[in-house]
Amino acid sequence: MSTLRARGRGADRGGPLLEFAAIFPILLITAVVAVEAFLAFVAAERLESAARAGARVAGTQELGGAEAEARAALPTWLDDATVTAAANDSAGFYVEVSHPLPIVFSAAGFDLTLTRRVDMPDV
């Protein structure tokens, strides 16, 4: 009877729980990094699109509504992005849109900024 008991559940004595406790932080960090990487790629695409929309307006209507158009093209979760519109060196205009990273877990303390710039000739 004692050999059956040793082979049953009592023989584990919490081994799987300890294995889970050791692996869980690694899985959690992997998930957090994956979410941040995904949002960084999406943010890069959205910043590029907003800069392109602002540069299109700057190229056709001068600098008047370029910044406002770029801001309007940004999603609400990127509202704190910095938008700059000015003349470039080749007699045209540029719109630059920047946002700090990380997006979700800002307590990480990284000092990274994602920036997209689009130049447009004066037409």
Side-chain angles (χ1 to χ4, degrees), residues 2-110:
S2 65
T3 57
L4 289 176
R5 182 177 239 180
R7 290 184 188 169
R9 288 187 176 194
D12 284 343
R13 296 214 178 255
L17 183 62
L18 289 175
E19 291 172 6
F20 176 74
I23 297 298
F24 182 70
I26 296 169
L27 292 175
L28 189 62
I29 289 172
T30 303
V32 166
V33 168
V35 167
E36 277 298 331
F38 173 74
L39 288 176
F41 282 113
V42 171
E45 186 272 329
R46 301 298 171 135
L47 294 176
E48 178 80 24
S49 178
R52 189 172 291 127
R56 192 176 307 117
V57 169
T60 58
Q61 303 171 7
E62 303 293 319
L63 291 173
E67 287 186 32
E69 184 66 26
R71 284 216 173 274
L74 286 171
T76 57
W77 57 277
L78 292 174
D79 278 344
D80 56 340
T82 305
V83 179
T84 307
N88 63 13
D89 296 337
S90 59
F93 306 100
Y94 76 88
V95 175
E96 186 175 277
V97 184
S98 305
H99 191 275
L101 290 178
I103 296 169
V104 176
F105 304 100
S106 58
F110 299 123

